């Protein structure tokens, strides 16, 4: 029954062109003018059949356009569930993020990000799956799904990273089994055997301390009135999936985020983007110009970098790009009963 309704819905736009065609055939067979051999009769016949053909094409096109819009709406909703935008405010932090996919027509690709407010602090993940576009979505879903649970459950940042590694390992084994069922689930020559994910895990505590675990991912930039400075790098682990994690995970206390300060996180697609002449995108210069001597507005900064990146590449990206800005809106105030917590604007005193 459902299939019958589907076919009826698809064939409905053809009803009017079919009616026109029936009228044209009937006219050709019964109308006296259509039986004549003169030029006027030929012109009339041509006009009738041209009208019928045009109507048929337009009917087909309208039906296909309507179905394409429905498919795009469903795909857009599914992609937003997978890579949902972060909340604009989270536990005293302001956030903004954006994704640019190298696959035409896709809103997501092989890059991932997520932020979660937990009892242990605000935890953030940003990562990049080897490859780009729609084929990388399976690994993105595995890592993000694991992070959304582990960020709340694991008291230590290292526990979160190990959960991500296990989730990615299960995904790769299942993918290899589907690709090569006769091999027992793992083939060293399969594409999944070479898949890995670079990951940067951050934990921002109430006092602004930022802890990090980095698996082959670019380090972020610290933004302030003086411009953009690279965050001091700690020990970097291999990407997830390339090698097993070591027994000891080097959690790096990389920086203390001051009130009003911000972090700019990105995937390597931003700094590796090239223009038509082969010149790399100068991400740090764009950030410097945007924040030097001015407050950092996360959404506006994302939009500015996004626009500069598209101008530099002429809109032709060869790799996915993910961008995220996290600004500390908390105030440093003495510990007392009247502690204001996150920054709030005090009302101005009334004039006397």
């Amino acid at each position: 029954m459902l299939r019958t309704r589907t076919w009826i819905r698809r064939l409905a736009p053809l009803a009017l062109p079919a009616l026109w065609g029936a009228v044209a055939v009937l006219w050709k067979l019964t109308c006296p003018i259509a039986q004549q051999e003169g030029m006027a009769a030929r012109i009339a016949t041509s006009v009738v059949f041209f009208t019928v053909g045009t109507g048929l094409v337009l009917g087909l096109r309208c039906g296909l356009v309507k179905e394409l819009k429905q498919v795009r709406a469903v795909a857009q909703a599914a992609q937003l569930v997978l890579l949902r935008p972060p909340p604009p405010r989270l536990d005293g932090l302001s956030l903004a993020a954006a994704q640019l996919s190298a696959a035409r027509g896709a809103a997501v690709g092989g890059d991932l990000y997520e932020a979660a407010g937990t009892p242990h602090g605000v935890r953030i993940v940003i990562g990049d799956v080897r490859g780009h576009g729609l084929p990388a979505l399976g690994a993105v879903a595995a890592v993000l799904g694991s992070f959304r649970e582990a960020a709340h459950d694991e008291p230590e940042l290292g526990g979160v990273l190990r959960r991500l590694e296990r989730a990615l390992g299960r995904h790769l084994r299942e993918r290899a089994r589907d690709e090569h069922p006769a091999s027992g689930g793992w083939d060293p020559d399969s594409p999944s055997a070479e898949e890995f994910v670079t990951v940067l895990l951050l934990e921002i505590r109430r006092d602004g301390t930022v802890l990090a675990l980095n698996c082959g991912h670019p380090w972020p930039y610290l933004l302030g009135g003086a411009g953009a400075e690279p965050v001091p790098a700690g020990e970097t682990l291999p990407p997830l999936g390339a090698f097993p994690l070591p027994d000891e995970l080097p959690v790096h206390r990389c920086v203390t985020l001051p009130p009003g300060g911000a972090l700019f996180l990105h995937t390597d697609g931003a700094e590796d983007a090239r223009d038509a002449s082969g010149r790399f995108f100068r991400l740090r210069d764009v950030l410097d110009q945007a924040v030097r001597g001015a407050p950092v507005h996360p959404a506006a900064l994302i939009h500015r970098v996004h626009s500069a990146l598209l101008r530099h590449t002429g809109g032709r990206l060869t790799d996915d790009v993910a961008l995220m800005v996290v600004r500390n809106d908390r105030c440093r105030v003495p510990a007392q009963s009247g502690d204001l917590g996150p920054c709030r604007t005090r009302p101005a005193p009334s004039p006397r």
Side-chain angles (χ1 to χ4, degrees):
M1 179 64 70
L2 181 60
R3 177 174 289 186
T4 302
R5 290 179 180 176
T6 302
W7 277 107
I8 291 175
R9 187 171 62 252
R10 289 182 176 180
L11 294 176
L14 300 180
L16 185 58
L19 178 61
W20 290 349
V23 171
V25 171
L26 184 64
W27 181 83
K28 177 66 176 175
L29 295 177
T30 61
C31 183
I33 299 178
Q35 310 300 322
Q36 298 177 7
E37 298 295 334
M39 180 62 68
R42 293 180 181 179
I43 292 176
T45 302
S46 298
V47 169
V48 170
F49 280 94
F50 175 77
T51 303
V52 171
T54 302
L56 182 62
V57 171
L58 290 178
L60 284 171
R61 183 181 182 278
C62 289
L64 292 175
V65 167
K66 184 177 179 180
E67 186 170 352
L68 179 60
K69 287 181 178 179
Q70 293 175 340
V71 170
R72 283 181 172 174
V74 172
Q76 183 74 11
Q79 291 175 131
L80 289 177
V81 169
L82 174 61
L83 193 67
R84 58 196 181 201
R89 290 189 59 83
L90 188 63
D91 194 19
L93 304 178
S94 292
L95 298 95
Q99 158 88 5
L100 294 172
S101 177
R104 184 178 180 182
V108 300
D111 290 351
L112 58 98
Y113 53 77
E114 182 66 282
T118 76
H120 320 290
V122 174
R123 287 176 167 173
I124 296 172
V125 65
I126 186 168
D128 184 359
V129 178
R130 179 183 180 270
H132 60 268
L134 298 178
L137 288 183
V140 170
V143 173
L144 284 181
S146 178
F147 173 81
R148 287 165 181 163
E149 292 292 330
H152 297 273
D153 296 342
E154 297 293 336
E156 301 296 332
L157 200 59
V160 179
L161 185 60
R162 294 193 187 280
R163 291 270 292 271
L164 302 189
E165 181 190 39
R166 291 197 292 270
L168 179 63
R170 285 194 298 270
H171 163 72
L172 295 181
R173 287 192 296 272
E174 291 170 1
R175 178 177 163 186
R177 184 174 60 247
D178 293 340
E179 292 174 349
H180 303 277
S183 67
W186 186 254
D187 183 352
D189 296 326
S190 70
S192 58
E194 299 179 356
E195 190 163 285
F196 58 82
V197 183
T198 68
V199 167
L200 176 65
L201 272 179
L202 298 181
E203 180 178 294
I204 305 176
R205 297 183 172 176
R206 289 293 307 172
D207 61 358
T209 300
V210 181
L211 305 181
L213 277 171
N214 193 331
C215 294
H217 197 82
W219 289 92
Y221 287 94
L222 179 63
L223 308 179
E229 295 290 336
V231 165
E235 183 177 346
T236 301
L237 299 168
L240 293 182
F243 300 97
L245 289 174
D247 294 335
E248 296 292 331
L249 297 179
V251 178
H252 176 50
R253 182 170 179 167
C254 54
V255 73
T256 298
L257 192 61
L263 290 174
F264 183 88
L265 290 70
H266 63 286
T267 55
D268 59 6
E271 292 183 312
D272 292 346
R274 303 191 187 200
D275 62 9
S277 302
R279 292 174 297 181
F280 287 103
F281 180 63
R282 301 179 68 86
L283 176 61
R284 184 176 178 180
D285 291 347
V286 174
L287 294 175
D288 268 330
Q289 295 171 6
V291 305
R292 190 180 296 276
V296 177
H297 299 286
L301 181 58
I302 289 289
H303 178 73
R304 182 163 179 170
V305 174
H306 182 169
S307 300
L309 187 59
L310 291 178
R311 283 197 305 270
H312 180 79
T313 61
R316 296 182 297 273
L317 293 174
T318 58
D319 195 6
D320 302 321
V321 177
L323 311 172
M324 178 181 281
V325 177
V326 184
R327 185 184 66 198
N328 185 3
D329 288 346
R330 302 161 180 162
C331 286
R332 272 204 198 101
V333 295
Q336 54 186 3
S337 59
D339 191 355
L340 295 177
C343 290
R344 294 186 177 92
T345 303
R346 294 180 180 273
S350 58
R352 296 178 181 269

